[in-house]
């Protein structure tokens, strides 16, 4: 899918290894599920439900990648360090950057939480008994306590820790955006206090993009690890 690229007049996305690996692992899981549906007819619709959820994960990952692309594209069009110095066209590009950047960091955690729901179903973890509204990170903590899945839990925890700083910053911004007030408004208020009547300088946009890039990388690696593990496990159970 190249919806945003098409709308923005950009060429289609080029093959990208980290994205392709995650896609390949999820598509193999879907292939296995469809094979089981064909063999067993899926009377309880459990396989069909997983298929729909994993297809949703593929779409969500694509949307996250497009948000990263679009926010990076519009960041390059912002050349001034203060909104007051921008002409109307650059202000519009800055607003577009903010829109896609915010959409991106919200989607990082949306994809992960959807994955948490899939993991709960795949491994019958009964997370609702532990916490009615659980996140991916709650599932990950629990996964490490299940002996037969501890290896996957360990691998996912290593991935999480590799991106700890970026995830922490993205989570802070996500929580501020959703629960408190606009993150850029909060930053503007702080800088107004610092500068009094001077110009309000933008935060480090390159650092923001780098954090979003790291979040996207973490999501790709996590999805790949989960579904490679799932595929191997199912094939072993089936004797294939």
């Amino acid at each position: 899918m190249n919806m945003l690229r098409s709308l923005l007049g950009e060429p289609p996305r080029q093959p990208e290894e980290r994205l392709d690996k995650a896609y390949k692992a999820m598509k193999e899981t879907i292939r296995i599920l469809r094979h089981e549906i064909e063999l067993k007819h899926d009377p309880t619709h459990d396989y069909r439900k997983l298929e729909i959820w994993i297809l949703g994960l593929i779409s969500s990952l694509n949307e996250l990648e497009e948000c990263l692309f679009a926010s990076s594209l519009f960041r390059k069009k912002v050349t001034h360090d203060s909104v007051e110095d921008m002409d109307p066209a650059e202000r519009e590009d800055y607003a577009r950057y903010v829109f896609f950047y915010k959409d991106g960091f919200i989607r990082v955690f949306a994809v992960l939480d959807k994955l948490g729901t899939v993991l709960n179903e795949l491994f019958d973890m009964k997370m609702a008994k532990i916490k009615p509204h659980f996140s991916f990170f709650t599932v990950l903590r629990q996964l490490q306590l299940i002996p037969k899945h501890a290896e996957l839990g360990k691998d996912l925890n290593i991935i999480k820790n590799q991106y700890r700083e970026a995830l922490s910053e993205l989570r802070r911004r996500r929580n501020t955006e959703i629960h408190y007030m606009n993150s850029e408004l909060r930053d503007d208020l702080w800088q107004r206090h610092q500068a009094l009547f001077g110009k309000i300088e933008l935060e480090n946009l390159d650092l923001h993009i780098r954090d979003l890039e790291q979040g996207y990388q973490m999501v790709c690696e996590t999805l790949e690890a989960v579904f490679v593990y799932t595929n191997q496990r199912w094939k072993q159970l089936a004797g294939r």
Side-chain angles (χ1 to χ4, degrees):
M1 293 173 63
N2 291 279
M3 182 180 68
L4 279 183
R5 284 174 170 82
S6 178
L7 288 173
L8 297 172
E10 294 294 314
R13 178 170 56 213
Q14 297 300 308
E16 182 188 333
E17 184 178 10
R18 58 187 171 179
L19 184 65
D20 290 345
K21 284 183 175 180
Y23 278 169
K24 181 179 178 181
M26 288 189 280
K27 288 176 180 177
E28 175 62 10
T29 306
I30 290 171
R31 188 196 66 77
I32 294 171
L33 285 168
R34 288 175 177 171
H35 179 72
E36 292 299 314
I37 291 170
E38 186 178 341
L39 285 178
K40 301 175 182 177
H41 306 294
D42 192 25
T44 61
H45 303 293
D46 290 336
Y47 292 146
R48 177 60 178 155
K49 178 170 66 175
L50 279 170
E51 178 193 12
I52 291 169
W53 283 357
I54 296 167
L55 286 170
L57 276 175
I58 291 173
S59 294
S60 295
L61 178 58
N62 178 71
E63 291 160 2
L64 169 57
E65 190 280 335
E66 289 209 312
C67 285
L68 173 60
F69 170 80
S71 59
S72 300
L73 178 71
F74 287 113
R75 187 272 167 271
K76 293 173 184 175
K77 297 177 183 291
V78 177
T79 59
H80 290 91
D81 294 328
S82 171
V83 175
E84 285 91 335
D85 293 332
M86 297 178 186
D87 62 22
E90 187 176 354
R91 288 190 184 195
E92 289 185 6
D93 286 330
Y94 174 64
R96 294 182 183 107
Y97 152 78
V98 170
F99 177 89
F100 287 113
Y101 168 66
K102 289 197 298 185
D103 200 14
F105 66 63
I106 289 170
R107 286 181 186 277
V108 165
F109 296 99
V111 176
L112 289 173
D113 287 342
K114 288 177 184 178
L115 177 59
T117 299
V118 172
L119 283 167
N120 181 52
E121 184 77 12
L122 276 172
F123 303 142
D124 193 26
M125 295 175 66
K126 297 181 173 60
M127 288 298 302
K129 293 183 178 180
I130 300 169
K131 190 174 181 181
H133 304 289
F134 53 86
S135 70
F136 165 78
F137 298 100
T138 306
V139 174
L140 176 54
R141 286 193 293 272
Q142 192 64 21
L143 194 64
Q144 295 174 82
L145 302 177
I146 303 174
K148 63 181 177 180
H149 300 308
E151 179 184 352
L152 174 62
K154 179 182 176 182
D155 290 344
L156 296 181
N157 199 52
I158 289 171
I159 294 171
K160 182 197 75 172
N161 287 334
Q162 286 176 341
Y163 300 97
R164 181 181 297 277
E165 290 184 13
L167 285 174
S168 178
E169 179 61 22
L170 293 172
R171 183 186 288 110
R172 180 181 70 81
R173 289 186 168 273
R174 188 277 308 265
N175 290 343
T176 300
E177 176 66 26
I178 293 176
H179 300 299
Y180 300 104
M181 61 181 175
N182 259 324
S183 57
E184 71 269 17
L185 173 58
R186 186 209 59 204
D187 295 335
D188 285 353
L189 288 172
W190 170 247
Q191 291 193 50
R192 176 64 74 190
H193 172 72
Q194 293 293 91
L196 293 178
F197 298 104
K199 293 178 181 179
I200 299 175
E201 292 189 0
L202 303 180
E203 282 199 310
N204 189 329
L205 305 189
D206 290 331
L207 181 58
H208 289 182
I209 292 294
R210 191 154 57 247
D211 286 339
L212 184 55
E213 169 84 19
Q214 292 277 293
Y216 165 67
Q217 176 78 19
M218 182 270 183
V219 168
C220 286
E221 292 182 18
T222 298
L223 287 168
E224 180 191 359
V226 165
F227 289 101
V228 166
Y229 171 86
T230 299
N231 297 339
Q232 291 173 345
R233 183 171 176 270
W234 283 358
K235 288 174 183 178
Q236 287 170 356
L237 291 174
R240 295 198 293 270

